[in-house]
Amino acid sequence: MIYLGIRYTLVNSETGTGAQSGFPTNAAQTTNEGMNIPGGSLESIIFRLTGTLNAAGDVDQDLPGAISALRVILNGETFFDYRSGYNDPGADTTASQLGYFLNSLGENLSSEVVASTTVKEAYIRIPCGIVAPAGISRLEYTLSTTALAAATTGTGVEVWCVYNDNMQTRTTVPPATSFNASGTGQQEVVVRVPSNVPGLIAGVLIQNDRDQDDFSEIRVISQSDYSLETNYWRYLNSDLYNGVEYGSSGSQLSLNFAQLSPGTIFVPLFGLARGDDIRLQVTTTAARTLLFNPVLVAAANAREAPMPGQTQAVKTNTLSAVLDRSGAANQ
């Protein structure tokens, strides 16, 4: 049997400073781009970000640490909607929340060249798994970045579509549920899961609004009789096995290995059925705002379930209504 295999297609390339390209610079910015793409089995989207920092310390961690939000839309349907809990790329030397999240969904979904402390080349790969109709489809994205200490130069953002006729799953990251933690003990959190998106729940990303673990225990009510400490969850998701890999200004020879991304943890749910929203019990030690991002995985090109609808037509006719009320029709 002959497989058509994988095809990489460059669908957009933006250059220039600031919002012209979307590469982080010395002011917070939001870039909106839309482009026509060929139809086909869209496995994933690759963003390639290139640019030169003013100084090494402008980004001390991996470049995705400067990305505060990323939304990707195909033919009017949002399949990836991410926002960070915090951003401090000039001070943090740890793995970013976005980079950590993507690599929790698969190896090498976020990576970068670390040969230089100022010349940046980073790649982030967004899983998709939707078959775009034959002909022309529309891909759009919104990219928000935080301010760096100084302006960047020689910047550019490329967008590549990866087509793969043998893709097996569709991945959806719906908007996060925010929760104001009391910091005084255990609280129940209901993580909303959209009813019109197909798939089982692969896991949930939990993000704090600062680079500290202000949550100490987490219980998935439907899967555990007990709350598990965060280190226990990091054992279960393989973070403790030096499972967090990222670039930083501290090494120009290889990526760094770590056991965590501070204030961030991915809780695997192993295909949890969609009988209800995700219900957690979370113990916190400080009053903070937490974000909970579910991840849904279905068969490739699975479609959303239809919304509830009526089966009987309600026919309205003002002329008939006036006639009926007048009583003339009964004479």
Side-chain angles (χ1 to χ4, degrees), residues 167-220:
M167 65 184 187
Q168 296 182 345
T169 57
R170 165 180 173 167
T171 304
T172 304
V173 178
T177 296
S178 61
F179 181 78
N180 292 322
S182 67
T184 58
Q186 189 178 87
Q187 294 174 278
E188 183 168 327
V189 181
V190 179
V191 182
R192 299 301 181 186
V193 179
S195 60
N196 63 334
V197 176
L200 303 174
I201 305 170
V204 59
L205 173 72
I206 303 175
Q207 299 179 109
N208 196 9
D209 61 2
R210 64 175 178 176
D211 56 353
Q212 294 184 30
D213 281 354
D214 292 313
F215 41 82
S216 58
E217 293 182 343
I218 303 164
R219 178 192 173 200
V220 182

Side-chain angles (χ1 to χ4, degrees), residues 145-158:
T145 59
T146 191
L148 305 183
T152 52
T153 57
T155 57
V157 176
E158 295 177 354

Side-chain angles (χ1 to χ4, degrees), residues 126-138:
I126 309 300
C128 179
I130 300 175
V131 178
I136 301 300
S137 287
R138 185 69 174 173

Side-chain angles (χ1 to χ4, degrees), residues 280-296:
L280 309 174
Q281 288 178 343
V282 180
T283 302
T284 56
T285 56
R288 312 300 301 184
T289 299
L290 306 180
L291 296 178
F292 297 80
N293 255 117
V295 178
L296 307 179

